[in-house]
């Protein structure tokens, strides 16, 4: 694998003191340097007021190992989407694991990456904001080591790039990937002939460099897995055909063009199809981000390799948990928890009850058992269906697993990274 950085620059982050308040912080956090957190002896269930969100180190490390093993066996690269966590401490782990680069969706993501020394970025959107285009151009001119590729899916987007890039004085080109799409998907060129013509236009554009082809197969949703797999396969086949045709015409400006796809649900199918269909030496780059923490809901249920072939050797393990107290048990079959929409994702499924810890001071969580279900959420409350004979009571704590890590991370500035005994090793800070 091609390392972009052996180590992200976390010097300033680790030296900075924790603030006096913030959701997810111990009450005694004020003034403690982030790099000294492990020396405080804090434990999640003893020292964090609820609600709080934690990351289990053992599951995190397991997922890193499983993905690393898969990438080596598959012979492909990973440019993880940093928007999942937007946490430099976690991005640094991915860089240590050999990330080829990082994927950004907004200019704010890109600025965060640049602040921490990331030098290779896929900007997985078409740039339409002149301010963002000018910022990218200035970064290219400022840093000769910086490498970025952006998406284009139409003539209007290409014209915007041409107009802004054409005003630059310096000569380093901006990398461009043609985005292939499909009916019912998100962005991307729908017509293969139009996509090839767009590639020709990019290749002929001064200041731009055609580096490859991109697609996003994760926009297909629904409960019918075989149908989703079929539609994903069609899109990937079309993407490979476009890449092959573009290569045959000699339009790519780099020796090993990039062909990139792969969210967190279908990346195994992406590898299987692209490896079989590409007829030139391409850099196959996945952009999965949620693998790092996985979840108890959407991704755990939706992942499929789309058929036989190379697959991950072991399932990923869910690493994220959100904890709240039982605030009330107003009736035998209902408990109200001190966590809600402000604390946990709900866009791709409600949280999943997994653990509980009695109020007697026992810091060892135990499986909560069957019969529990989060019925709905308010801003600060969860309605938990409770077996009438279960001893759960006000003051006990309940841990829930999440469905969709991205929209849980963005609800927390601070998350506790813990070992299997609940000791807090690090306070992870996000920058949403």
């Amino acid at each position: 694998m091609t390392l972009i950085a052996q180590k992200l620059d976390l010097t300033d982050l680790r030296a900075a003191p924790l603030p006096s308040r913030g959701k997810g912080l111990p009450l005694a956090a004020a003034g403690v340097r982030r790099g000294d957190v492990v020396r405080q002896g804090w434990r999640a269930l003893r020292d964090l007021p609820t609600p709080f969100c934690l990351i289990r180190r053992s599951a995190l490390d397991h997922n890193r190992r499983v993905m690393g093993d898969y990438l080596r066996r598959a012979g492909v690269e990973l440019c993880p989407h940093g928007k999942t966590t937007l946490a430099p401490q976690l991005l640094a782990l991915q860089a240590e694991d050999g990330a080829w680069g990082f994927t950004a969706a907004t200019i704010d993501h890109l600025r965060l990456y640049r602040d921490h020394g990331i030098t290779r970025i896929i900007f997985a959107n078409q740039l339409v904001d002149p301010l963002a285009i000018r910022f990218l151009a200035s970064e290219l001119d400022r840093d000769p080591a910086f490498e970025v590729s952006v998406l284009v899916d139409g003539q209007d987007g290409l014209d915007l790039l041409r107009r802004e890039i054409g005003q630059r004085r310096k000569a380093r080109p901006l990398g461009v990937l043609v985005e292939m799409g499909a009916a019912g998907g998100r962005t991307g060129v729908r017509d293969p002939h139009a996509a090839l013509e767009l590639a020709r236009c990019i290749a002929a554009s001064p200041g731009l460099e055609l580096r490859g082809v991109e697609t996003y197969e994760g926009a297909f949703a629904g409960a019918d897995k075989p149908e989703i797999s079929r539609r994903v396969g069609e899109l990937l086949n079309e993407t490979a055909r476009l890449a092959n045709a573009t290569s045959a015409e000699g339009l790519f400006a780099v020796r090993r063009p990039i062909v990139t796809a792969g969210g967190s649900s279908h990346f195994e199918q992406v590898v299987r199809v692209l490896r079989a269909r590409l007829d030139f030496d391409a850099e196959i780059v996945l952009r999965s981000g949620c693998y790092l923490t996985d979840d108890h809901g959407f991704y755990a249920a939706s992942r499929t390799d789309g058929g036989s072939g190379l697959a991950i050797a072991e399932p990923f393990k869910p690493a994220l948990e959100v904890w709240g107290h039982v605030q009330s048990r107003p009736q035998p079959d209902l408990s109200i928890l001190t966590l809600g929409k402000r604390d946990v994702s709900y866009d791709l499924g409600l949280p999943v009850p997994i653990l509980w810890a009695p109020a007697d001071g026992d810091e060892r969580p135990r499986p909560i058992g069957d019969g529990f279900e989060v019925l709905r959420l308010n801003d600060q409350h969860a309605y938990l269906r409770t077996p009438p004979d279960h001893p759960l009571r006000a003051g006990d704590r309940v841990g829930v697993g999440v469905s969709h890590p991205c929209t849980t991370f963005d609800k927390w500035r601070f998350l506790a990274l813990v070992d299997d005994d609940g000791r807090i090793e690090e306070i992870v800070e996000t920058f949403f």
Side-chain angles (χ1 to χ4, degrees):
M1 288 186 185
T2 304
L3 292 174
I4 56 158
Q6 291 285 350
K7 191 173 185 180
L8 269 68
D9 184 2
L10 302 179
T11 306
D12 291 343
L13 184 64
R14 295 198 187 283
L18 292 169
S20 60
R21 57 176 294 275
K23 188 175 72 167
L25 287 176
L27 296 179
V32 175
R33 289 185 349 129
R34 287 162 170 81
D36 293 334
V37 164
V38 71
R39 301 185 182 93
Q40 306 308 305
W42 291 329
R43 289 179 176 267
L45 286 173
R46 184 187 66 199
D47 296 299
L48 292 177
T50 63
F52 63 82
C53 186
L54 62 79
I55 307 168
R56 295 213 175 263
R57 166 76 80 174
S58 58
L60 192 76
D61 288 345
H62 168 86
N63 296 342
R64 294 169 62 195
R65 184 173 62 254
V66 168
M67 181 58 94
D69 169 73
Y70 174 76
L71 295 170
R72 284 187 291 273
R73 289 186 291 112
V76 300
E77 302 287 358
L78 179 65
C79 186
H81 213 318
K83 73 173 177 61
T84 297
T85 69
L86 274 192
Q89 291 141 287
L90 300 181
L91 302 184
L93 298 179
Q94 293 173 300
E96 290 172 12
D97 293 341
W100 177 91
F102 282 91
T103 299
T106 71
I107 204 66
D108 191 57
H109 298 169
L110 191 141
R111 291 177 66 191
L112 177 69
Y113 299 172
R114 297 295 291 140
D115 285 348
H116 290 86
I118 293 173
T119 57
R120 183 186 283 155
I121 296 170
I122 291 177
F123 191 88
N125 273 316
Q126 182 165 246
L127 270 177
V128 295
D129 184 345
L131 293 174
I133 298 171
R134 291 168 202 159
F135 175 77
L136 275 189
S138 68
E139 283 295 285
L140 284 169
D141 292 342
R142 182 184 67 82
D143 183 1
F146 178 45
E147 177 184 321
V148 63
S149 298
V150 305
L151 308 188
V152 167
D153 75 351
Q155 191 63 46
D156 289 344
L158 178 56
D159 289 343
L160 282 168
L161 286 182
R162 283 170 162 170
R163 183 165 61 246
E164 292 299 330
I165 296 299
Q167 300 175 19
R168 295 169 58 210
R169 299 175 186 170
K170 297 187 181 180
R172 285 193 69 211
L174 175 66
V176 177
L177 309 174
V178 178
E179 182 172 27
M180 192 70 217
R186 196 166 65 186
T187 51
V189 189
R190 273 24 179 188
D191 178 71
H193 301 292
L196 183 56
E197 182 57 34
L198 183 62
R200 294 174 182 137
C201 292
I202 295 167
S205 299
L208 303 180
E209 186 174 78
L210 182 59
R211 293 183 182 159
V213 174
E214 182 273 352
T215 195
Y216 174 62
E217 79 293 345
F220 300 123
D224 188 343
K225 283 189 177 183
E227 173 62 14
I228 291 173
S229 182
R230 184 191 66 78
R231 296 179 70 188
V232 168
E234 287 181 350
L235 176 59
L236 293 171
N237 282 320
E238 205 64 71
T239 300
R241 282 192 285 269
L242 171 62
N244 290 337
T246 306
S247 175
E249 291 194 18
L251 299 176
F252 291 125
V254 292
R255 185 183 65 81
R256 290 195 76 203
I258 299 164
V259 181
T260 176
S264 296
S265 293
H266 308 291
F267 64 86
E268 293 157 302
Q269 185 177 3
V270 166
V271 171
R272 182 176 63 85
V273 174
L274 293 183
R275 283 180 37 161
R277 298 288 185 265
L278 292 173
D279 61 13
F280 64 98
D281 184 22
E283 190 92 87
I284 299 175
V285 179
L286 302 177
R287 302 195 307 277
S288 313
C290 290
Y291 79 91
L292 191 62
T293 62
D294 206 54
D295 68 11
H296 285 85
F298 176 77
Y299 285 106
S302 66
R303 189 171 294 108
T304 172
D305 71 357
S308 61
L310 188 65
I312 56 174
E314 303 174 68
F316 295 125
K317 294 181 179 180
L320 273 183
E321 298 169 16
V322 178
W323 281 78
H325 273 92
V326 177
Q327 191 162 66
S328 173
R329 189 165 177 179
Q331 58 197 56
D333 62 350
L334 180 68
S335 303
I336 305 299
L337 308 182
T338 62
L339 61 90
K341 292 180 179 180
R342 302 290 181 91
D343 313 303
V344 68
S345 56
Y346 54 91
D347 56 317
L348 294 177
L350 291 172
V352 180
I354 52 174
L355 298 168
W356 74 296
D360 60 9
D362 190 342
E363 297 174 19
R364 296 167 297 178
R366 60 200 69 179
I368 198 167
D370 297 329
F372 288 87
E373 180 186 4
V374 174
L375 302 172
R376 60 190 175 103
L377 299 172
N378 295 150
D379 280 2
Q380 313 285 182
H381 299 90
Y383 294 71
L384 181 68
R385 175 183 288 147
T386 305
D389 59 350
H390 194 280
L392 192 71
R393 60 181 180 175
D396 289 353
R397 292 149 295 177
V398 172
V400 299
V402 311
S403 182
H404 197 188
C406 302
T407 48
T408 294
F409 270 104
D410 69 2
K411 294 170 174 53
W412 296 89
R413 180 181 171 192
F414 301 108
L415 303 91
L417 182 65
V418 305
D419 67 14
D420 286 341
D421 292 322
R423 289 185 287 261
I424 299 176
E425 298 180 349
E426 196 167 352
I427 296 294
V428 173
E429 184 170 3
T430 68
F431 289 82
F432 288 96

